[in-house]
Amino acid sequence: MKKVLAILCVVLMLFSLAACGNDKFEAPNNSFNSAEIESYVSENKAELAQMISDEMGFEGDIDIKVQGKGIVFDIKTAIFDNVTEDIKLQLQEQASEVSEDYDEIVEEMKAEDERLSELEYITITLRDSDGTFIATASNR
């Protein structure tokens, strides 16, 4: 259980160090064009996924996509196979606490790449190898 919590913390801290983020769940604004954020993600997708894999030290699928004014990191790995409901709840609580730092990450990302000027949130979703939801963290 401690290893799973530690892995979640590493993932969340990795995103802070990598400055990959966004905040707030909002319906897409009709005047908003996600092409700039999509351009950034498309250009950096492989590098971001490899960085996550290297930092976490596991094999798994990392899907990175743009959703509205946010970037979503969907991580699927066997590390979370057979996780109990109690551990899922603890992971979700931990994720909620760490996600408060995502606003700062979003601002750092905006400062580093002008294509992210409309970025508002990042979301990290953890799943087991079958794709079953385990926990999510977001500043949305």
Side-chain angles (χ1 to χ4, degrees), residues 17-63:
L17 294 174
C20 303
N22 196 330
D23 70 286
K24 299 187 184 169
F25 287 99
E26 290 183 10
N29 183 330
N30 290 338
S31 65
F32 169 70
N33 181 350
S34 65
E36 293 295 317
I37 298 173
E38 289 172 4
S39 169
Y40 173 85
V41 168
S42 177
E43 184 178 306
N44 295 287
K45 188 178 264 189
E47 180 182 331
L48 292 169
Q50 187 61 51
M51 187 172 25
I52 294 166
S53 250
D54 290 348
E55 283 295 317
M56 292 184 64
F58 70 77
E59 294 293 321
D61 295 326
I62 302 168
D63 184 34

Side-chain angles (χ1 to χ4, degrees), residues 75-76 80 85 88 126-135:
I75 302 168
K76 187 165 69 169
F80 299 114
E85 289 301 315
K88 285 182 185 180
L126 303 175
R127 301 179 187 280
D128 68 13
S129 61
D130 292 329
T132 303
F133 173 81
I134 302 297

Side-chain angles (χ1 to χ4, degrees), residues 2-135:
K2 287 183 181 181
K3 182 176 182 178
V4 173
L5 291 174
I7 290 169
L8 178 61
C9 288
V10 168
V11 170
L12 300 175
M13 295 305 277
L14 170 66
F15 288 119
S16 357
L17 294 174
C20 303
N22 196 330
D23 70 286
K24 299 187 184 169
F25 287 99
E26 290 183 10
N29 183 330
N30 290 338
S31 65
F32 169 70
N33 181 350
S34 65
E36 293 295 317
I37 298 173
E38 289 172 4
S39 169
Y40 173 85
V41 168
S42 177
E43 184 178 306
N44 295 287
K45 188 178 264 189
E47 180 182 331
L48 292 169
Q50 187 61 51
M51 187 172 25
I52 294 166
S53 250
D54 290 348
E55 283 295 317
M56 292 184 64
F58 70 77
E59 294 293 321
D61 295 326
I62 302 168
D63 184 34
I64 305 168
K65 62 187 173 209
V66 175
Q67 188 175 65
K69 292 185 177 185
I71 299 175
V72 177
F73 299 86
D74 197 316
I75 302 168
K76 187 165 69 169
T77 178
I79 290 173
F80 299 114
D81 288 355
N82 303 315
V83 171
T84 67
E85 289 301 315
D86 287 340
I87 294 175
K88 285 182 185 180
L89 288 173
Q90 290 175 349
L91 284 168
Q92 189 59 53
E93 288 173 14
Q94 183 82 16
S96 295
E97 291 172 14
V98 178
S99 66
E100 295 172 3
D101 298 329
Y102 288 1
D103 288 334
E104 183 178 325
I105 296 167
V106 168
E107 292 307 314
E108 289 174 12
M109 290 181 69
K110 287 179 176 183
E112 290 179 14
D113 195 310
E114 64 184 32
R115 293 176 291 179
L116 300 177
S117 64
E118 302 259 359
L119 186 66
E120 293 183 357
Y121 68 91
I122 58 171
T123 300
I124 300 170
T125 302
L126 303 175
R127 301 179 187 280
D128 68 13
S129 61
D130 292 329
T132 303
F133 173 81
I134 302 297

